[in-house]
Amino acid sequence: MIRFALRLAVSGGREAVARLVVIAAAVAIGVGLLLSTLAGINAVAAANDRLLWLNSGSAGNTATADVAPLLWRAHEDYYAGRPIVEVDVAATGPTSPVPPGLSQVPAPGEYRASPALADLLRDTPADLLADRLPGRMAGLLGEEALQSPDSLVAVVGRTPEQLRAVPDVRSVTAVADSLPARCQDCPGLGVRGDAMTLILSVVAGALIFPVVMFIGTATRLSAATREQRFAAMRLVGATPRQISVISTVESTLAAAVGTAAGFAVFAALRPVVATVPFTGERFFTTDLTLTAVQIAAVAVGVPVAAAVAARLALRRVVVSPLGVSRRVTPRPPQAWRLGPLLAGLAELAWFVGRRPESTNAQTAAYLTGFLLIMLGLVVAGPWLTMTAARAVALHTRRPATLIAVRRLADDPKAGFRAVSGLVLALFVTSATIGIIGTIDTNRGGLAGDPLTRAAVEHGAMLDEPPMADSVPERVLAGLRAVPGARGLAVVHANPDRIGIEADPARRWAPGLVLCSDLAQIPVVGHCPAGASVAAVPLYEFLDLRAKTGTEWPAAAIAPESVARLPVQMVYATTDGSTAAMERTRTVLTRAFPAQQARTVGDWGSSQQQELAGWRRLADVVLLTTLPIAGCSLAVGVVAGLSDRRRPFAMLRLTGAPLGLLQRVIALESALPLLVAAVVATGTGFLAAQMFLTSQMHYDLVLPGLSFYGLSGLALAASLGIIASTLPVLRRITGPEAARNG
């Protein structure tokens, strides 16, 4: 029977082969996208594992070994908003541990750089970056020490005496290979894998749902002919079990071929997926791997799912073979079909004000809600189509419209099936754009305004000890000599907590600034009239917003006394150019290597990269789902035409003009498309609002005109796809199609 089913599957001529090819292609696309998403989740974990060695000097690392200690100091630097991790090391003996990616500990006066950092150093003037690193570059770090091909990492060799003079140096006897239980000072935390799993899971659902609908639509090609063929086989004695085997083998054959092709699609997509910086940086291609369990689950699960779908699709033939030939009008969909959609919205609404604490619980809550809404749109689509068709029928007298809406009212499932993929794409797009656009609007100020972006701050913050006793005059002269320098202020420590009398409970004492210095940096504020010293809170020096109109209180201390106090930080303003800011940073880093120079751009760069990654995910979802939905629409319309070629041929023989039939087809496809598009877009915005309110306490910011323009173009393209299938009607509704047989 299986051999007969295989021969039957490919013996139906070009039409049967074309249908099998379309189904296999749809499965291949879905499998390729699914495997790419699973590999992306695995790549995040692999990249995080390669960062664990950076936690060797953290306070929570308890790994030990009986070797000579390695003195260790990990700290961070930036260049043009890109983070640079520097690890200063000094071996105290021949048995000192060696960081990964190296064959030996760098000697004093040498450093090893990641390939990306080496390229940056080579392409950048030395006084902008290379002068911050002592000595010479003696080689490259290996891939096993890097999160990404874009990672900027340097391991710098120092003498033990140099590092023992630094307050935050640690002694390491074993390189960390796991995340410490307590990790308040871990530079190698990496990307939150659970958060990325949540994001990539939503993306997987967003991509796979339209593909599943495409597969379901493709399996309907020539459905009427196949069902009649199976019904005829039942009438001549075939058992229900035999019919099930034949239909299952036919669909499983295409799904198995598509699954195998899907692995080839994944192999082709792998280098492309590796270049998409979902986590802010690219992946190594070798990180995009699959586990044996994942491979087996996809290789077996997809064909099995296709077999089950085929069995369910032909259940009418198995139960009643004559039912196919008689073509009774199916029962109209009931209002209960709104249940899953309302349940999904209610599930998201429940978590407004009740956000789960753990990320795993949030994944279960929000992902379940969104997937339930997507399922609900598919389930409710036929009912919405029927309701809209009946409403239009009450207000029209045109023949084409009456035929179209009567057809939709009688069989709304068939009418909605063709547009279901596009409806899901519109829901996913509206929800994704709404969420990401709102986050971007609320966090878009992380880059600061033009005045704050032009400043460089170097030194100790808040409750950290002062950075130095004083700033040498040569350093001040070097800062003023930087091309593009604008202003310079020295902020002194405040050991006597001067200026907090109005708020004694304040934890951190303000910094003390000479008014002559504060006048050079008006972005921070100004002194009262006649004052010589001002008390300025330290955190104001890295505020995202300019404080040009703020007047800080005068400090009751003489300028001469302030000059003798330790220096807390140095604040320099520039013209905002990269060259001026990085030269300023280099001068300060060389003078005070134990502290970090910061800019507002550095302060928000990691979150900006995260937002950029989410925007790229939105682009991927949009650019992938819309074409797939368009293909699903084209296949659905063609399938409907093929199934009704004989009724249309009879109408043409009785005098119905071809233009009338073409308008019927266009209206049958356009009405459910427009109705469901409005519902899907509105539902997407509503779901986005509830998610934002629950997770981030944001109110939805509706997207701009570009979104509506793009949605309009998508609908116009869909109508164009419908129009492109209409010429087929002339060819398939000739007199020969009206014959029985």
Side-chain angles (χ1 to χ4, degrees):
M1 181 59 67
I2 294 178
R3 183 181 302 174
F4 172 72
L6 290 173
R7 188 172 64 180
L8 192 65
V10 297
S11 63
R14 289 183 300 175
E15 183 177 299
V17 173
R19 178 171 54 80
L20 293 176
V21 169
V22 171
I23 296 173
V27 173
I29 294 172
V31 169
L33 293 173
L34 177 60
L35 294 177
S36 297
T37 304
L38 294 175
I41 296 174
N42 296 340
V44 173
N48 284 347
D49 288 343
R50 284 198 305 276
L51 285 181
L52 294 173
W53 69 278
L54 292 174
N55 302 318
S56 300
S58 66
N61 181 38
T62 58
T64 60
D66 187 17
V67 298
L70 177 71
L71 299 183
W72 181 289
R73 176 179 177 258
H75 56 102
E76 198 171 43
D77 194 5
Y78 284 87
Y79 177 82
R82 297 180 64 186
I84 303 173
V85 178
E86 297 179 17
V87 181
D88 297 334
V89 294
T92 61
T95 59
S96 295
V98 179
L102 297 172
S103 58
Q104 60 185 10
V105 178
E110 295 181 349
Y111 62 88
R112 302 293 180 94
S114 63
L117 179 57
D119 292 340
L120 184 61
L121 291 170
R122 184 180 60 252
D123 299 336
T124 304
D127 60 344
L128 269 67
L129 179 58
D131 287 348
R132 303 178 205 170
L133 296 170
R136 64 180 185 88
M137 185 169 61
L140 299 177
L141 280 173
E143 180 180 316
E144 59 270 26
L146 306 176
Q147 180 187 27
S148 160
D150 299 327
S151 296
L152 304 180
V153 183
V155 179
V156 182
R158 305 276 189 174
T159 66
E161 292 74 22
Q162 288 174 324
L163 286 187
R164 289 192 180 102
V166 179
D168 56 348
V169 70
R170 301 283 171 80
S171 291
V172 173
T173 57
V175 176
D177 58 3
S178 62
L179 197 64
R182 293 179 293 104
C183 225
Q184 296 179 349
D185 59 343
C186 291
L189 282 173
V191 177
R192 287 182 58 194
D194 50 2
M196 282 306 300
T197 299
L198 171 60
I199 295 171
L200 291 174
S201 298
V202 173
V203 171
L207 294 177
I208 295 304
F209 251 93
V211 173
V212 169
M213 298 307 303
F214 182 27
I215 295 173
T217 302
T219 58
R220 296 296 303 175
L221 282 171
S222 302
T225 302
R226 292 164 60 222
E227 289 177 354
Q228 288 177 355
R229 182 179 66 192
F230 291 147
M233 294 172 66
R234 285 291 317 279
L235 289 174
V236 298
T239 65
R241 180 181 180 83
Q242 291 172 327
I243 294 297
S244 297
V245 170
I246 292 173
S247 63
T248 299
V249 167
E250 189 177 26
S251 295
T252 306
L253 171 64
V257 173
T259 301
F263 280 89
V265 170
F266 164 67
L269 288 177
R270 208 165 155 235
V272 178
V273 174
T275 64
V276 180
F278 295 124
T279 62
E281 293 184 342
R282 296 177 298 158
F283 292 124
F284 286 107
T285 304
T286 52
D287 286 343
L288 291 164
T289 58
L290 299 167
T291 66
V293 173
Q294 291 169 338
I295 293 174
V298 174
V300 176
V302 173
V304 168
V308 172
R311 176 68 182 84
L312 294 176
L314 293 172
R315 60 189 181 277
R316 290 189 303 161
V317 178
V318 174
V319 174
S320 176
L322 292 177
V324 176
S325 300
R326 295 192 312 169
R327 292 293 175 189
V328 296
T329 301
R331 292 180 57 188
Q334 304 298 312
W336 66 262
R337 286 179 168 269
L338 293 174
L341 177 61
L342 297 177
L345 293 172
E347 200 260 2
L348 290 181
W350 168 259
F351 288 102
V352 174
R354 302 182 180 90
R355 186 184 73 171
E357 293 297 329
S358 68
T359 302
N360 288 336
Q362 292 171 17
T363 301
Y366 301 128
L367 183 60
T368 300
F370 275 95
L371 294 181
L372 191 57
I373 291 173
M374 294 169 74
L375 175 64
L377 285 171
V378 175
V379 174
W383 185 86
L384 295 172
T385 300
M386 179 192 69
T387 303
R390 290 177 176 177
V392 173
L394 296 175
H395 299 88
T396 185
R397 296 294 182 267
R398 296 178 179 273
T401 306
L402 285 172
I403 295 174
V405 297
R406 176 59 186 273
R407 157 77 176 173
L408 288 175
D410 286 347
D411 193 2
K413 292 181 182 179
F416 177 76
R417 187 181 299 121
V419 302
S420 56
L422 191 66
V423 168
L424 288 176
L426 288 173
F427 167 76
V428 170
T429 301
S430 59
T432 304
I433 296 297
I435 292 171
I436 294 176
T438 299
I439 295 173
D440 199 23
T441 299
N442 282 273
R443 298 184 182 177
L446 287 171
D449 59 37
L451 291 175
T452 59
R453 286 200 301 269
V456 179
E457 179 273 330
H458 189 92
M461 291 293 293
L462 302 178
D463 55 354
E464 298 174 359
M467 60 180 279
D469 292 333
S470 64
V471 180
E473 186 58 38
R474 59 177 175 78
V475 176
L476 297 176
L479 292 171
R480 296 188 182 101
V482 169
R486 291 290 184 266
L488 179 63
V490 177
V491 182
H492 293 268
N494 188 359
D496 295 329
R497 299 175 63 83
I498 299 170
I500 65 169
E501 293 80 3
D503 187 8
R506 181 184 295 175
R507 180 178 176 185
W508 298 295
L512 301 177
V513 189
L514 296 176
C515 289
S516 57
D517 282 1
L518 196 58
Q520 298 181 43
I521 54 169
V523 61
V524 176
H526 60 87
C527 288
S532 300
V533 181
V536 183
L538 296 177
Y539 51 79
E540 298 292 350
F541 288 93
L542 270 183
D543 199 328
L544 299 174
R545 299 171 300 277
K547 299 295 183 63
T548 52
T550 302
E551 182 177 284
W552 300 111
I557 184 174
E560 297 80 11
S561 300
V562 171
R564 292 192 292 268
L565 291 173
V567 175
Q568 193 76 19
M569 67 175 64
V570 176
Y571 191 87
T573 56
T574 69
D575 59 5
S577 65
T578 298
M581 296 182 68
E582 297 307 327
R583 285 192 175 96
T584 299
R585 196 199 302 260
T586 298
V587 172
L588 290 167
T589 300
R590 285 174 60 87
F592 306 102
Q595 280 77 35
Q596 177 186 345
R598 308 174 181 89
T599 70
V600 166
D602 304 339
W603 200 257
S605 63
S606 60
Q607 295 188 54
Q608 288 293 329
Q609 289 179 358
E610 182 181 3
L611 289 175
W614 290 353
R615 285 192 292 269
R616 281 186 287 268
L617 285 176
D619 294 339
V620 169
V621 170
L622 183 62
L623 295 176
T624 304
T625 55
L626 288 180
I628 292 174
C631 294
S632 178
L633 176 61
V635 171
V637 174
V638 171
L641 289 174
S642 177
D643 289 345
R644 289 182 291 156
R645 64 173 66 188
R646 188 168 183 274
F648 280 144
M650 296 294 294
L651 285 174
R652 287 193 64 187
L653 288 176
T654 57
L658 181 64
L660 174 67
L661 300 182
Q662 289 176 336
R663 288 193 294 274
V664 169
I665 295 297
L667 289 170
E668 284 183 4
S669 302
L671 181 61
L673 171 65
L674 297 176
V675 171
V678 172
V679 174
T681 303
T683 304
F685 287 147
L686 180 58
Q689 170 65 62
M690 289 188 288
F691 170 79
L692 290 165
T693 303
S694 172
Q695 180 74 0
M696 302 176 181
H697 306 292
Y698 291 159
D699 290 326
L700 175 68
V701 177
L702 292 175
L705 294 177
S706 59
F707 166 78
Y708 300 103
L710 183 61
S711 299
L713 288 175
L715 292 176
S718 302
L719 296 176
I721 292 172
I722 295 171
S724 68
T725 64
L726 297 181
V728 179
L729 191 63
R730 180 189 297 274
R731 181 170 57 84
I732 68 174
T733 58
E736 67 280 358
R739 296 196 302 265
N740 288 315

